[in-house]
């Protein structure tokens, strides 16, 4: 059972900074598996409090903050508040980690956000496509699949197809079909889905 007062206290500790903030963040990272905890943390202004931990050079702090921001991103019930509170730039910051595990968590969050049509324009304004194109060529199957899924979701929208293609997206998608690794059926399905939408636009066919 979620103790709302405990989460409020943890959020206050996180806001105060210092060693207690690190312990509070670790506790929040454990709590965000709970749907009500995610909603309450956002309601308490928790997203803004993740900015400093996501700049930390301490791996444990950075990892906990990244896990929290990724967990919030996949909850469709709070996506509106997540976006309004500046969650997408923080998720992209986490995505730029050199760690493949971190990248996959962030890409998972982006894939879930991109499944909501009302957030497409916000994601495009955040310039997510270049990062996704890089991830589409990742050595990690998980990172690659989530990136291709996100590109496929974004490419559904005709008004953004040319903008997506300008980032050399089509060559990256075609690369998915060259010597595909075993067990990548889902990735190939998403790559094909993205391609089928992008090439509908005549300007993109020359790619």
């Amino acid at each position: 059972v979620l103790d709302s007062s405990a989460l409020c206290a943890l959020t206050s500790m996180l806001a105060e900074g210092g060693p207690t903030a690190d312990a509070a963040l670790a506790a929040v990272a454990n709590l965000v598996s709970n749907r009500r905890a995610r909603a309450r943390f956002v309601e308490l202004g928790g997203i803004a409090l993740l900015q400093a931990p996501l700049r930390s050079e301490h791996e444990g702090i950075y990892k906990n903050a990244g896990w929290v921001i990724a967990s919030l991103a996949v909850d469709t019930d709070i996506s509106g508040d997540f976006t309004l509170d500046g969650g997408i730039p923080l998720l992209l910051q986490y995505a730029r980690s050199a760690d493949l595990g971190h990248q996959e968590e962030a890409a998972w969050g982006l894939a879930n956000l991109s499944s909501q049509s009302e957030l497409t324009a916000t994601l495009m304004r955040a310039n997510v496509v270049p990062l996704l194109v890089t991830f589409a060529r990742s050595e990690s199957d998980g990172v690659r699949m989530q990136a291709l899924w996100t590109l496929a979701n974004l490419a559904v929208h005709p008004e953004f197809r040319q903008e997506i293609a300008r980032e050399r997206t089509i060559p990256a998608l075609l690369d998915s079909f060259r010597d595909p690794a075993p067990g990548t059926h889902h990735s190939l399905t998403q790559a094909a889905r993205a391609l089928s939408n992008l090439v509908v636009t005549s300007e993109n066919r020359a790619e």
Side-chain angles (χ1 to χ4, degrees), residues 1-185:
V1 178
L2 173 67
D3 185 338
S4 182
S5 61
L7 187 57
C8 186
L10 289 171
T11 306
S12 296
M13 291 167 62
L14 190 55
E16 291 169 3
T20 57
D22 300 342
L25 178 60
V28 170
N30 286 320
L31 287 172
V32 291
S33 60
N34 179 288
R35 178 183 57 81
R36 289 177 56 214
R38 292 192 295 269
R40 183 61 175 149
F41 183 70
V42 172
E43 183 182 314
L44 290 167
I47 288 176
L49 302 178
L50 298 173
Q51 293 181 30
L54 281 168
R55 292 194 298 267
S56 176
E57 295 182 359
H58 187 285
E59 172 62 18
I61 296 171
Y62 179 82
K63 182 177 181 179
N64 282 333
W67 174 249
V68 173
I69 200 70
S71 297
L72 298 177
V74 302
D75 188 336
T76 56
D77 291 337
I78 58 173
S79 295
D81 289 332
F82 177 87
T83 303
L84 289 172
D85 289 355
I88 290 176
L90 295 181
L91 185 64
L92 290 174
Q93 184 177 335
Y94 187 49
R96 295 186 180 98
S97 166
D99 183 282
L100 291 175
H102 298 168
Q103 290 178 13
E104 184 172 354
E105 290 171 6
W108 170 54
L110 288 170
N112 278 273
L113 291 170
S114 71
S115 68
Q116 300 168 73
S117 295
E118 65 273 20
L119 299 181
T120 301
T122 304
L123 288 167
M124 292 299 296
R125 284 196 299 271
N127 198 31
V128 299
V129 176
L131 177 70
L132 294 171
V133 170
T134 298
F135 279 6
R137 292 186 167 110
S138 174
E139 64 188 81
S140 163
D141 291 342
V143 173
R144 192 165 58 249
M145 184 184 75
Q146 298 294 350
L148 291 169
W149 200 306
T150 307
L151 287 168
N153 287 341
L154 297 176
V156 166
H157 304 277
E159 65 271 32
F160 296 114
R161 286 172 183 162
Q162 281 186 273
E163 184 178 348
I164 292 168
R166 277 199 296 269
E167 300 296 341
R168 303 292 295 163
T169 305
I170 291 176
L173 294 171
L174 290 172
D175 283 347
S176 300
F177 296 93
R178 297 187 176 99
D179 300 319
T184 57
H185 170 74

